[in-house]
């Protein structure tokens, strides 16, 4: 008899949450009286087939589509006779994600019902909550879920993909686009499924740098399982056929065997490296650390200078444009590190958008409480944190790089895995190379030339809204570090609502329909520029180097 793997903690008590969500919904129909014309749905011989059928919108998750998928999930949660579900789509896109803008007239009957006089914030929460509920119900479906995907998939569409147990994708016309930060959002309330698959740190890299992931990269990340080659039209047809064949194959297996194959919901495996979240807000953490150690940051006028800075082992300085460098040298460094991190937390995200972290010491013999506080402050910096390890990372350095959003290494780099810290069972103390560190979940780009890689990161980050990046870090940690429940889903819907009230959001969205408009954070004076490019005449037109599919830089 097959044994189910341990349930990840974020799906703890999922049956209770599912019942609570279903109780709050008003369903319209089932497979027996299906009436939606934009989603096809039928059940036959123990297999449910679902087809997103609104190609004119790119199968976007508009109110009507979300309503249809919620009805399907409600029925399937109560149908143990259904053993597998197949998801396909019409047109060139599986799903382009959530839809912004005013509700079309033909969608109004499916929009959330609001009390008269509801505020813009309350309206935004109500509109985002159904997608949060949908992805929870989709992720925890007891059936084995198979999908054939295609096209450029964004936001909640990526979470639909991540909520599947098996995904088939054409090689030539598939791309997962984590573009929320370029739209002033930074994250969306549906990403519980994506974080569950990728883990917090991998998710942060893709989200904070608005990465595009092709089919082969998605397979490496275990978001795609089978790739179909060949011309797009033929590949679409073959992918749909393979998805249905896979569902039939799994449906013939016994219950224990089907459960052992699942990669989502309570039966999925945890990503290898999961970092602790926050008990309270970032502000509460800053206040707690300051009081516990009797430390206060310098006043703003002295920050990023040598004025009133007594710590020789720690340096914090401005380099480049909207960049800072944090260097750790040999000696007594924890007080200086904590002060430097408190100052970075008190710095507006738009003033410093990228922090480079260097470390030249093994970090042995440190005060455990101060070091853990430093790791927490590093992890929650509002700026993108870029790790630049030495050729041989010794002692506790690996714990520093595990807090970074991106770590740049060459293929020759190796790390010591320290003893006595909470690493996964699969990671034994000893030395690991760059490839193993990448598999572990530490954000490693293995590059040939680090300088060119930094240029590309600066270019990508310049396209992302600073406040969106800062708030997305806390948002992703909240999803990945505590069990999902109705209150948390409500709070996550509120995150998106708060982002839409930030002027940054309006500034970003305007660029989608006004091609002549450049958001403030993308203008030359606000872009992130590495120090060796500051002052060059061609910096405004610089587009950065090209990256190859394996993550290396094309020189």
């Amino acid at each position: 008899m097959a044994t189910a793997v341990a349930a990840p903690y974020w799906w703890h008590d999922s049956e209770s949450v599912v019942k609570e969500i279903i109780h709050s919904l008003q369903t319209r129909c089932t497979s027996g009286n299906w009436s939606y014309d934009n989603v096809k749905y039928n059940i036959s011989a123990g297999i449910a087939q679902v087809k997103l059928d609104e190609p004119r919108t790119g199968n976007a998750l508009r109110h009507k589509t979300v309503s249809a998928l919620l009805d399907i999930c409600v029925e399937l949660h109560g149908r143990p006779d259904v053993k597998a579900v197949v998801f396909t789509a019409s047109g060139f896109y599986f799903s382009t994600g959530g839809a912004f803008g005013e509700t079309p007239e033909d969608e109004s009957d499916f929009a959330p019902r609001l009390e008269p006089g509801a505020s813009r914030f309350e309206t935004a929460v109500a509109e985002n909550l159904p997608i949060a509920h949908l992805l929870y119900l989709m992720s925890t479906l007891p059936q084995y879920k198979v999908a054939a995907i295609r096209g450029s998939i964004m936001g909640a569409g990526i979470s639909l993909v991540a909520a599947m147990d098996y995904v088939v994708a054409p090689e030539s016309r598939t791309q997962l686009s984590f573009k929320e930060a370029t739209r002033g959002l930074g994250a969306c309330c549906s990403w519980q499924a994506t974080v569950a698959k990728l883990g917090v740190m991998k998710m942060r890299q893709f989200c904070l740098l608005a990465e595009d992931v092709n089919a082969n990269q998605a397979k490496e990340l275990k978001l795609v399982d089978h790739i179909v080659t060949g011309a797009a039209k033929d590949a679409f047809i073959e992918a749909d056929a393979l998805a249905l064949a896979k569902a039939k194959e799994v449906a013939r297996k016994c219950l224990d065997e089907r459960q052992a194959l699942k990669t989502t919901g309570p039966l999925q495996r945890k990503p290898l490296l999961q970092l602790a979240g926050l008990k309270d807000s970032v502000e509460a953490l800053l206040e707690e650390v300051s009081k516990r150690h009797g430390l206060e940051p310098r006043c703003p006028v002295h920050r990023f200078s040598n004025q009133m800075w007594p710590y020789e082992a720690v340096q914090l300085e401005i380099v480049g444009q909207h960049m800072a460098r944090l260097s750790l040298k040999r000696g007594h460094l924890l007080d200086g590190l904590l002060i430097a991190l408190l100052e970075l937390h008190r710095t507006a995200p738009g003033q410093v958008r990228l922090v480079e972290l260097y470390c030249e010491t093994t970090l042995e013999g440190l005060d455990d409480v101060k070091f853990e506080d430093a790791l927490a402050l590093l992890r929650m910096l509002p700026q993108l944190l870029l790790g630049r390890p030495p050729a041989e990372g010794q002692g506790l350095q690996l714990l520093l790089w595990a807090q970074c959003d991106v770590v740049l290494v060459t293929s020759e780099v190796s790390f010591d895995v320290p003893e006595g810290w909470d690493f996964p069972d699969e990671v034994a103390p000893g030395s690991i190379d760059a490839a193993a560190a990448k598999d572990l979940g530490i954000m490693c780009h293995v590059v040939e030339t680090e300088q060119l890689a930094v240029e590309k990161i600066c270019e990508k980050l310049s396209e992302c809204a600073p406040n969106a990046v800062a708030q997305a870090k806390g948002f992703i940690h909240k999803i990945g570090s505590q069990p999902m429940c109705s209150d948390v889903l409500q709070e996550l819907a509120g995150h998106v609502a708060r982002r839409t009230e930030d002027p940054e959001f309006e500034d970003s969205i305007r660029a989608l329909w006004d091609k002549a408009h450049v958001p403030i954070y993308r203008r030359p004076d606000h872009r992130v520029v590495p120090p060796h490019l500051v002052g060059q005449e061609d910096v405004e037109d610089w587009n950065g180097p090209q990256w190859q599919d394996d993550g290396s830089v094309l020189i």
Side-chain angles (χ1 to χ4, degrees):
M1 181 179 296
T3 303
V5 297
Y9 59 86
W10 53 76
W11 303 127
H12 175 70
D13 198 25
S14 60
E15 289 186 12
S16 174
V17 179
V18 165
K19 289 178 181 177
E20 188 175 350
I21 292 174
I22 289 177
H23 181 71
S24 70
L25 299 176
Q26 292 184 339
T27 56
R28 297 169 183 264
C29 54
T30 67
S31 57
N33 59 348
W34 192 250
S35 60
Y36 291 93
D37 58 1
N38 61 328
V39 177
K40 302 294 191 294
Y41 174 48
N42 66 82
I43 297 175
S44 176
I47 296 177
Q49 296 190 52
V50 180
K51 185 172 187 176
L52 305 179
D53 193 23
E54 198 170 25
R56 66 184 179 87
T57 69
N59 294 309
L61 295 179
R62 289 152 49 118
H63 295 308
K64 188 176 179 180
T65 304
V66 171
S67 177
L69 292 175
L70 280 171
D71 282 3
I72 291 170
C73 286
V74 169
E75 179 177 15
L76 292 178
H77 268 285
R79 290 288 301 266
D81 59 307
V82 178
K83 301 174 178 63
V85 190
V86 183
F87 292 83
T88 57
S90 298
F92 293 100
Y93 301 94
F94 179 71
S95 176
T96 53
F100 290 105
E102 296 183 4
T103 302
E105 187 174 342
D106 61 346
E107 292 266 317
S108 58
D109 288 344
F110 302 92
R113 294 290 177 259
L114 299 169
E115 294 293 330
S119 67
R120 177 179 173 180
F121 176 80
E122 291 169 333
T123 301
V125 171
E127 289 181 342
N128 282 287
L129 193 56
I131 293 183
H133 285 164
L134 170 62
L135 265 299
Y136 191 95
L137 295 181
M138 187 76 73
S139 297
T140 55
L141 280 175
Q143 292 85 6
Y144 188 82
K145 296 159 290 181
V146 186
I149 66 173
R150 61 186 65 174
S152 182
I153 304 168
M154 302 178 66
I158 296 176
S159 273
L160 280 182
V161 175
M164 301 298 153
D165 298 306
Y166 192 90
V167 176
V168 183
E171 183 177 37
S172 62
R173 292 290 295 271
T174 302
Q175 180 173 271
L176 308 182
S177 296
F178 294 81
K179 293 298 187 186
E180 272 64 25
T182 66
R183 297 182 173 184
L185 287 173
C188 68
C189 58
S190 68
W191 277 5
Q192 52 194 289
T194 317
V195 176
K197 274 279 179 73
L198 295 179
V200 168
M201 301 313 293
K202 284 186 179 180
M203 185 66 181
R204 278 195 3 184
Q205 179 191 0
F206 298 124
C207 173
L208 303 184
L209 288 176
E211 298 276 15
D212 291 325
V213 175
N214 63 32
N216 289 300
Q217 292 166 329
K219 185 176 181 181
E220 182 181 341
L221 294 166
K222 296 181 172 54
L223 292 174
V224 166
D225 300 277
H226 184 91
I227 294 178
V228 179
T229 58
K233 185 176 179 180
D234 293 337
F236 290 174
I237 296 172
E238 184 178 352
D240 288 354
L242 286 172
L244 180 58
K246 181 66 177 181
K248 290 180 177 178
E249 172 194 328
V250 174
R252 288 192 291 267
K253 299 180 181 294
C254 69
L255 176 61
D256 289 323
E257 290 176 325
R258 293 199 304 273
Q259 289 184 335
L261 291 172
K262 285 185 68 64
T263 63
T264 60
L267 298 180
Q268 80 175 79
R269 294 184 183 275
K270 285 167 112 178
L272 274 181
L273 184 63
Q274 287 293 338
L275 300 179
L278 294 176
K279 296 178 182 178
D280 299 303
S281 66
V282 174
E283 286 298 319
L285 172 66
L286 298 178
E287 184 177 352
E288 181 181 344
V289 171
S290 297
K291 288 182 177 179
R292 179 159 47 235
H293 306 296
L295 300 172
E296 287 296 335
R298 294 171 296 173
C299 64
V301 72
H302 291 152
R303 290 175 193 168
F304 307 105
S305 74
N306 290 325
Q307 297 183 34
M308 301 181 66
W309 186 256
Y311 307 103
E312 295 182 0
V314 178
Q315 289 184 350
L316 176 62
E317 56 186 337
I318 291 292
V319 295
Q321 179 173 287
H322 299 294
M323 285 180 62
R325 178 174 294 148
L326 179 58
S327 303
L328 309 183
K329 303 178 182 298
R330 298 183 186 278
H332 301 287
L333 57 82
L334 280 183
D335 283 352
L337 175 57
L338 288 171
I339 287 289
L341 294 173
L342 288 171
E343 291 187 1
L344 284 168
H345 274 280
R346 298 301 187 196
T347 301
Q351 180 182 348
V352 174
R353 300 176 64 179
L354 175 65
V355 178
E356 285 187 317
L357 175 64
Y358 289 84
C359 182
E360 301 173 6
T361 176
T362 60
L363 303 175
E364 301 292 355
L366 300 179
D367 178 286
D368 286 351
V369 175
K370 285 186 177 180
F371 189 48
E372 289 183 353
D373 283 343
L375 294 180
L377 291 177
L378 272 172
R379 184 161 61 247
M380 298 312 300
L381 277 179
Q383 303 86 6
L384 185 85
L385 182 58
L386 170 63
R388 303 286 297 276
E392 293 183 5
Q394 311 235 339
L396 299 178
Q397 279 192 17
L398 185 60
L399 295 169
L400 287 183
W401 313 128
Q403 318 308 315
C404 295
D405 303 304
V406 182
V407 179
L408 287 182
V409 297
T410 60
S411 57
E412 293 80 17
V413 165
S414 62
F415 300 97
D416 279 349
V417 179
E419 296 187 24
W421 288 81
D422 187 21
F423 278 93
D425 295 338
E426 295 89 340
V427 185
S431 180
I432 59 174
D433 60 16
K438 185 175 181 180
D439 291 340
L440 173 62
I442 300 172
M443 296 296 95
C444 289
H445 271 308
V446 181
V447 298
E448 296 179 23
T449 306
E450 288 189 66
Q451 188 179 76
L452 289 178
V454 172
E455 292 175 8
K456 186 60 179 177
I457 288 171
C458 290
E459 182 67 14
K460 289 183 177 182
L461 190 57
S462 295
E463 297 297 306
C464 301
N467 291 343
V469 168
Q471 293 184 23
K473 294 180 77 167
F475 175 92
I476 292 170
H477 263 78
K478 180 174 285 292
I479 297 174
S481 61
Q482 62 180 305
M484 287 289 102
C485 65
S486 296
D487 288 344
V488 174
L489 293 175
Q490 181 83 24
E491 187 176 346
L492 299 185
H495 164 83
V496 179
R498 283 187 291 274
R499 290 301 312 140
T500 59
E501 291 186 331
D502 189 326
E504 219 179 43
F505 173 75
E506 296 291 346
D507 193 29
S508 301
I509 291 298
R510 179 181 168 187
L512 294 179
W513 55 267
D514 181 359
K515 300 305 181 183
H517 176 69
V518 179
I520 291 175
Y521 57 85
R522 294 181 191 168
R523 296 174 190 175
D525 289 346
H526 295 268
R527 291 177 53 209
V528 186
V529 182
H532 64 279
L533 288 182
V534 171
Q536 292 189 14
E537 293 181 356
D538 62 344
V539 67
E540 184 174 349
D541 299 322
W542 175 76
N543 293 314
Q546 298 297 311
W547 286 48
Q548 301 183 87
D549 290 343
D550 62 2
S552 62
V553 174
L554 182 62
I555 307 299

